[in-house]
Amino acid sequence: MTGAGATVTGTGWRHRRPFWGGLFVLLGGLEIMFTVWAPLGVVLHVGMQNFIGYLIPIVIILCGLLLWFTPAQRIFYSLVAIVCGLASWLTSNMGGFIIGLLLTLTGGALAFAWTTGDGAAEERDTEARTAGEQPVGEQPPEDPTIGDLSIVTSPRRADTSTEE
């Protein structure tokens, strides 16, 4: 599918959510999960931490999916993913042999810093206002006397005299 339809369905979906952050968190959680399932000769931590070793990557995977499907809560999910990624260092074979830990931390940071395109436009308009320029898309006021009381009282006409 090409043209405008592909843009709306493919890249439009990705641009309205922290796609890359969610993908990195998801990949980090999957990598940590696979290192927990590794053969016993490869596993470094066994024992009471075994349950937490399975729980942490499941929470990370869920955070990655929730970053995609509920982007309004991205800050909470990214912070949970970062904390769980750091906790995986102790519970899940050094955070999936460091690879899963780094993927999760990178994805959490990307998701935390993600903003929509509208936020960037608002930021440019704010910068333009502080610089004294006219923001893009806004029209200047038509009546230059808006700042005074001529709105409340009848405006003065040039043909009427003010002297009585």
Side-chain angles (χ1 to χ4, degrees):
M1 191 163 143
T2 60
T7 303
V8 171
T9 57
T11 58
W13 184 84
R14 278 194 334 220
H15 291 288
R16 288 190 308 265
R17 60 200 74 247
F19 178 77
W20 293 107
L23 182 66
F24 283 152
V25 169
L26 184 68
L27 290 176
L30 288 173
E31 204 277 332
I32 293 170
M33 179 66 81
F34 287 136
T35 60
V36 171
W37 288 344
L40 198 54
V42 178
V43 174
L44 299 176
H45 294 284
V46 177
M48 186 169 167
Q49 294 177 342
N50 197 18
F51 172 70
I52 295 173
Y54 286 110
L55 182 66
I56 296 281
I58 289 172
V59 170
I60 293 173
I61 291 169
L62 286 175
C63 284
L65 292 172
L66 288 170
L67 282 168
W68 280 349
F69 297 111
T70 56
Q73 303 298 323
R74 68 178 165 78
I75 294 187
F76 175 72
Y77 296 134
S78 63
L79 290 176
V80 169
I82 289 171
V83 169
C84 288
L86 291 172
S88 72
W89 176 262
L90 299 174
T91 62
S92 305
N93 297 326
M94 295 186 313
F97 301 116
I98 302 175
I99 297 169
L101 171 70
L102 291 177
L103 282 171
T104 303
L105 293 179
T106 303
L110 284 172
F112 187 85
W114 178 80
T115 59
T116 61
D118 297 338
E122 289 175 13
E123 199 172 296
R124 283 193 305 269
D125 287 346
T126 304
E127 289 174 3
R129 282 190 186 104
T130 57
E133 301 170 0
Q134 189 65 30
V136 178
E138 277 191 29
Q139 299 296 329
E142 293 179 16
D143 188 9
T145 61
I146 289 180
D148 62 4
L149 294 177
S150 65
I151 294 173
V152 179
T153 62
S154 62
R156 295 183 182 170
R157 297 185 188 186
D159 59 343
T160 60
S161 72
T162 56
E163 298 177 16
E164 294 183 14

